[in-house]
Amino acid sequence: MKHFLNPLDFSVEELDEVLDLADEIRANPKRFAKVCEGKKLATLFYEPSTRTRLSFEAAMMNLGGNVLGFSSADSSSAAKGESVSDTIRMVSCYADICAMRHPKEGAPLVASMKSSIPVINAGDGGHQHPTQTLTDLYTIRCLKGKFSGMTIGLCGDLKFGRTVHSLIEALIRYEDIKFVLISPEELRVPSYIRDEVLKQNNQQFEEVESLEEALPKLDILYMTRVQRERFFNEDDYLRMKDSYILDKEKMKLAKSDMIVLHPLPRVNEISVEVDDDERACYFKQVEFSVYARMALIMILLGVDKPC
Ligand code: CP
């Protein structure tokens, strides 16, 4: 039994297998409409979500399976003090696979140790969000055709933005990637990402503050929201929240084939006027996420492809 807690739980070859299967599903979704008949996915969300929970549920339904779960800690027995370890032992009796989001870093890992079903990390605190990474990789592969040779700008809250941490860990395994890390000084990537991931792997990267200066060299711009829920005080959040706002004027500085990604939700960091630009691909990302999660569910459940 395999869990998916971190993008590094899958080798590059295993990730390719997931993305290849996502391609097959996207080309002919009807072919896969019954492959998970009789299977159940539990969504255990201790923290708010729109995309991740709903796309997991849509993915399982598209495969012919069923879903059960809770969408907030308050509506589960966590509110009465039940531990994650006890909860997963219960859920293992009800479901075949689960996706867990939790505000505490490492909670899905703790769950996996007591689980008899595959556990998927659907976001743990400011740590990791590996299925967003699957979505991001799948989107990049569909729209750019490759990962190697890309200059990727990651902009915004790089300190608390778990999608950024997971994406960096996944992408450093490909050739000739350059990262431009665009953030205010106080929201730079955590030191473990800089020292143990980027530097230890001799990854090319630079840390800058100006989005305008970075834009002309980027093939991909990955915008992120300032993560209000992770700040210790509101004043710091208010000071930082509008550090970067991508608008039509700034888009004039970018290459004609640069793509703009964002894990969403957005607050103010991409002006809605950018949505009509053909380089704005964040809503396509949402569409691609369902295929990527369908493929992941099939692979973790060991479900065969239909003939
Ligand atoms: N991208 C993402 O994780 O969105 P949600 O918080 O809505 O799930």
Side-chain angles (χ1 to χ4, degrees):
M1 185 177 66
K2 202 166 167 73
H3 306 288
F4 191 55
L5 306 172
N6 182 302
L8 300 182
D9 288 340
F10 279 14
S11 65
V12 169
E13 291 73 26
E14 286 171 324
L15 278 179
D16 281 345
E17 198 188 322
V18 180
L19 304 188
D20 289 345
L21 180 56
D23 268 342
E24 284 190 57
I25 296 169
R26 186 159 71 104
N28 189 355
K30 280 192 184 151
R31 203 178 133 219
F32 294 84
K34 293 186 176 175
V35 293
C36 283
E37 256 180 0
K39 303 277 186 197
K40 291 192 279 292
L41 164 78
T43 50
L44 313 179
F45 277 60
Y46 294 83
E47 206 184 47
S49 167
T50 297
R51 271 147 300 276
T52 310
R53 187 171 65 84
L54 297 186
S55 73
F56 262 118
E57 294 186 354
M60 191 49 154
M61 290 178 194
N62 291 348
L63 295 169
N66 287 303
V67 296
L68 67 165
F70 52 83
S71 58
S72 72
D74 287 350
S75 64
S76 78
S77 284
K80 302 176 205 160
E82 186 165 58
S83 67
V84 161
S85 299
D86 282 358
T87 301
I88 195 66
R89 291 176 83 148
M90 307 304 122
V91 172
S92 295
C93 303
Y94 309 144
D96 301 286
I97 186 167
C98 88
M100 175 183 285
R101 170 169 290 187
H102 202 286
K104 284 203 180 133
E105 285 84 355
L109 172 65
V110 170
S112 72
M113 291 168 178
K114 296 285 181 191
S115 180
S116 52
I117 59 173
V119 175
I120 301 169
N121 178 3
D124 62 328
H127 187 218
Q128 296 279 342
H129 194 346
T131 64
Q132 181 64 48
T133 297
L134 264 189
T135 298
D136 300 338
L137 294 177
Y138 188 51
T139 306
I140 293 169
R141 201 175 85 159
C142 288
L143 300 179
K144 288 287 192 185
K146 58 177 187 170
F147 302 116
S148 301
M150 295 281 156
T151 299
I152 303 170
L154 301 161
C155 178
D157 184 350
L158 309 187
K159 179 179 180 183
F160 297 118
R162 58 193 173 197
T163 64
V164 166
H165 309 158
S166 291
L167 188 57
I168 289 174
E169 290 204 11
L171 280 172
I172 56 164
R173 298 187 289 180
Y174 296 90
E175 295 292 313
D176 192 25
I177 299 257
K178 297 189 192 83
F179 289 116
V180 184
L181 305 177
I182 309 154
S183 74
E185 173 90 33
E186 289 158 272
L187 296 181
R188 287 186 173 186
V189 289
S191 54
Y192 83 91
I193 293 283
R194 184 181 307 102
D195 298 334
E196 290 159 36
V197 179
L198 293 165
K199 287 187 179 168
Q200 259 185 31
N201 288 285
N202 296 319
Q203 175 61 51
Q204 291 188 70
F205 75 99
E206 55 180 318
E207 295 184 284
V208 302
E209 289 200 30
S210 167
L211 174 58
E212 288 87 339
E213 282 175 29
L215 263 168
K217 56 186 160 192
L218 304 180
D219 300 302
I220 299 168
L221 171 61
Y222 191 93
M223 293 295 292
T224 62
R225 167 179 72 91
V226 176
Q227 306 268 307
R228 181 181 205 156
E229 64 275 30
R230 314 264 177 243
F231 275 73
F232 293 112
N233 81 66
E234 183 72 0
D235 288 344
D236 282 346
Y237 168 72
L238 294 173
R239 193 163 46 78
M240 303 279 185
K241 73 183 177 71
D242 290 329
S243 300
Y244 301 100
I245 299 177
L246 183 67
D247 57 18
K248 264 187 171 170
E249 275 309 297
K250 292 197 187 80
M251 285 298 284
K252 288 181 186 162
L253 301 169
K255 290 181 187 173
S256 60
D257 64 347
M258 185 192 81
I259 58 171
V260 184
L261 302 180
H262 191 310
L264 304 178
R266 83 170 137 191
V267 182
N268 214 19
E269 59 281 357
I270 302 180
S271 167
V272 290
E273 69 188 18
V274 177
D275 296 356
D276 294 331
D277 190 307
E278 62 181 20
R279 295 168 290 181
C281 299
Y282 28 93
F283 292 115
K284 280 195 188 124
Q285 240 172 311
V286 175
E287 182 196 330
F288 290 141
S289 77
V290 180
Y291 303 120
R293 289 188 171 112
M294 286 168 78
L296 178 67
I297 290 169
M298 280 182 65
I299 285 173
L300 291 179
L301 282 177
V303 169
D304 290 331
K305 283 194 268 185
C307 307

